[in-house]
């Protein structure tokens, strides 16, 4: 095994991304990242004792180029004797119907397809080829969209059944690996078009920052991302314990105890309120959270709108969350 293969296997094992007996669906676009990931998986497969297959989406966004990607991936899988699941999507129509950007539509269609194949064919994990640079782009993208702390976490290596074993790998390593193994890959020409926000960050923003602060951006974003991830895990546990100790802080019949909330710091209040809003499938944004914190500093009988149809009323020592116009 070479250096990259060892590091890949170590990632899978130490982060428990793949365990013995797992059936892993590898998401392959035909681009260098997912092609490198697939060949790394094949190289370590005997040691993993896991089963592999491939999933490919044809988003039909680049005409013959998209069909070329599909044939390329199918041929490659045939040469490796791997099963390959393919689906075709009218991505532009989906984007129009659901009023989503093309990028977001492709992401929704992709993960829906992966989930279907996993359920129907009994796969336990889906692996995508996101790497260090993708993570940096995601963090910057979140930053420009308006982000809260968890957004700085970027892409997660393990998120339910989704695994990203390449998150510690740099693009350059993957390209070098493919070259060493004599494996070709497809070029997605739309990656060069700067009208997509992510491409703009990848092709313009990051190179500009790196020109000025050479070698600083990637390690720094990686550190922030790791710390945000660790902090999120800590907060999950902390608030789970807090709500167990003080039941008035866990949403019960749409109510939270005002007294219990008032004993907390503003940070804790916002985190408890955030969890309550999430449980109610309501929008969680900084403005709404601040409104609710302000409500706690006002007086009984007061009511605020918490986005959408959700209202929150201070009544009988409780914050009451309700959707219809008649208060509880
Ligand atoms: N058309 C597709 N079919 C299957 N998986 C895909 C497809 N597009 C993306 N993915 C998965 O999502 C990951 C991240 O997507 P992204 O759009 O950043 O990659 P890409 O630039 O299209 O291709 P690659 O990452 O393979 O070089 C890919 O590494 C791959 O695992």
């Amino acid at each position: 095994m070479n250096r990259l293969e060892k590091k890949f296997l170590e990632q899978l094992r130490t982060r428990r991304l793949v365990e013995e007996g797992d059936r892993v669906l590898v998401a392959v676009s035909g681009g260098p990242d997912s092609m490198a990931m697939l060949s790394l998986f094949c190289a370590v497969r005997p040691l993993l004792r896991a089963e592999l297959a491939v999933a490919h989406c044809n988003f039909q966004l680049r005409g013959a180029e998209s069909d070329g990607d599909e044939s390329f991936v199918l041929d490659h899988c045939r040469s490796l004797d791997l099963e390959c699941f393919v689906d075709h999507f009218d991505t532009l129509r989906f984007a129009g119907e659901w009023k989503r950007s093309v990028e977001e539509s492709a992401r929704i269609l992709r993960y829906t397809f992966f989930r279907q194949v996993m359920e129907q064919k009994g796969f336990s994990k889906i692996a995508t080829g996101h790497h260090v640079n993708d993570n940096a782009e995601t963090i910057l993208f979140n930053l420009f969209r308006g982000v809260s702390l968890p957004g700085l976490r970027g892409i997660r290596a393990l998120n339910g059944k989704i695994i990203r074993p390449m998150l510690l790998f740099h693009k350059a390593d993957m390209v070098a690996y493919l070259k060493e193994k004599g494996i070709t890959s497809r070029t997605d020409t739309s990656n060069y078009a700067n009208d997509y926000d992510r491409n703009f960050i990848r092709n313009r923003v990051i190179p500009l920052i790196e020109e000025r602060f050479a070698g600083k951006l990637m390690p720094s974003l990686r550190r922030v991302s790791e710390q945000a991830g660790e902090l999120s895990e800590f907060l999950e546990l902390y608030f789970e314990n807090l709500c167990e100790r003080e039941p008035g802080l866990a949403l019960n019949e749409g109510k939270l105890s005002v007294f219990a909330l008032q004993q907390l710091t503003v940070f804790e209040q916002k985190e408890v309120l955030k969890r309550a809003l999430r449980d109610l499938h309501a929008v969680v944004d900084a403005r709404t959270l601040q409104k609710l914190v302000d409500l706690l500093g006002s007086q009984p009988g007061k009511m605020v709108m918490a986005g959408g149809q959700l209202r929150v009323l201070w009544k009988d020592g409780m914050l009451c969350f309700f959707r219809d116009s008649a208060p509880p």
Side-chain angles (χ1 to χ4, degrees):
M1 265 200 290
N2 73 13
R3 185 186 62 83
L4 218 67
E5 290 163 351
K6 278 189 194 141
K7 187 171 161 189
F8 184 70
L9 185 62
E10 191 188 292
Q11 275 301 297
L12 296 179
R13 284 185 168 154
T14 53
R15 295 192 175 208
R16 296 174 149 242
L17 302 182
V18 176
E19 293 177 290
E20 207 175 310
D22 262 337
R23 299 189 70 222
V24 185
L25 194 59
V26 187
V28 179
S29 65
D33 313 336
S34 50
M35 288 296 285
M37 172 174 66
L38 178 61
S39 78
L40 285 165
F41 261 119
C42 291
V44 304
R45 177 165 49 171
L47 294 163
L48 273 184
R49 292 172 216 249
E51 216 179 293
L52 298 180
V54 167
H56 174 80
C57 307
N58 184 339
F59 294 115
Q60 303 188 109
L61 287 169
R62 291 171 287 118
E65 228 185 84
S66 294
D67 295 337
D69 291 350
E70 178 186 330
S71 318
F72 174 80
V73 173
L74 280 168
D75 286 346
H76 189 66
C77 289
R78 224 168 279 129
S79 74
L80 294 169
D81 203 14
L82 284 180
E83 191 167 9
C84 181
F85 301 92
V86 176
D87 205 354
H88 304 86
F89 303 97
D90 190 342
T91 314
L92 288 179
R93 211 181 82 195
F94 180 94
E97 274 173 13
W98 293 92
K99 303 209 175 352
R100 307 281 180 138
S101 70
V102 173
E103 286 168 297
E104 204 186 346
S105 302
R107 194 173 336 111
I108 295 169
L109 291 168
R110 187 188 307 167
Y111 284 103
T112 308
F113 171 58
F114 295 158
R115 217 173 304 119
Q116 278 167 357
V117 177
M118 288 175 77
E119 275 167 20
Q120 286 165 10
K121 306 287 174 184
F123 286 93
S124 47
K125 301 276 165 62
I126 170 82
T128 69
H130 295 94
H131 49 81
V132 170
N133 311 56
D134 287 325
N135 200 24
E137 285 160 23
T138 300
I139 296 170
L140 290 177
F141 185 51
N142 288 346
L143 208 60
F144 300 139
R145 275 199 308 193
V147 75
S148 59
L149 200 61
L152 293 181
R153 182 176 194 167
I155 304 170
R156 295 160 72 163
L158 177 63
N159 189 2
K161 292 181 174 177
I162 307 171
I163 57 172
R164 275 90 181 219
M166 311 302 289
L167 266 191
L168 289 187
F169 291 74
H170 288 265
K171 176 99 186 167
D173 290 336
M174 291 145 91
V175 173
Y177 180 73
L178 287 179
K179 196 165 167 212
E180 185 190 321
K181 297 280 166 183
I183 298 168
T184 53
S185 63
R186 300 279 295 177
T187 305
D188 178 349
T189 49
S190 71
N191 279 345
Y192 303 117
N194 290 327
D195 44 350
Y196 292 143
D197 287 338
R198 285 194 73 100
N199 289 351
F200 178 75
I201 291 173
R202 176 185 307 166
N203 301 329
R204 303 276 296 279
V205 178
I206 291 180
L208 200 64
I209 298 173
E210 282 187 326
E211 190 186 309
R212 181 81 190 192
F213 305 99
K216 295 275 191 287
L217 184 67
M218 294 296 158
S220 168
L221 287 179
R222 210 181 106 187
R223 232 174 1 257
V224 169
S225 159
E226 266 170 20
Q227 284 174 357
E230 287 161 6
L231 189 61
S232 297
E233 278 165 25
F234 166 77
L235 290 178
E236 277 311 315
L237 263 181
Y238 176 84
F239 283 99
E240 217 176 282
N241 289 334
L242 187 69
C243 293
E244 261 171 37
R245 275 203 317 273
E246 177 43 82
L249 296 175
L251 202 64
N252 185 11
E253 294 182 355
K255 293 175 188 170
L256 292 176
S257 156
V258 172
F259 179 74
L261 278 164
Q262 284 173 335
Q263 308 311 306
L264 306 178
T265 62
V266 171
F267 177 79
E268 288 171 317
Q269 288 175 345
K270 286 186 177 171
E271 287 293 318
V272 169
L273 291 163
K274 206 189 278 178
R275 283 163 174 75
L277 289 172
R278 239 190 262 139
D279 287 350
L280 293 163
H281 307 289
V283 182
V284 181
D285 57 38
R287 231 179 98 236
T288 304
L289 291 174
Q290 191 55 51
K291 266 207 269 184
L292 295 176
V293 168
D294 293 345
L295 177 64
L296 288 170
S298 65
Q299 48 195 303
K302 199 157 180 237
M303 185 170 76
V304 296
M305 294 296 296
Q309 299 297 316
L310 197 70
R311 291 156 202 262
V312 188
L313 171 70
W314 178 348
K315 189 184 170 204
D316 301 332
M318 306 299 272
L319 282 193
C320 309
F321 295 75
F322 60 102
R323 280 218 157 73
D324 46 293
S325 49

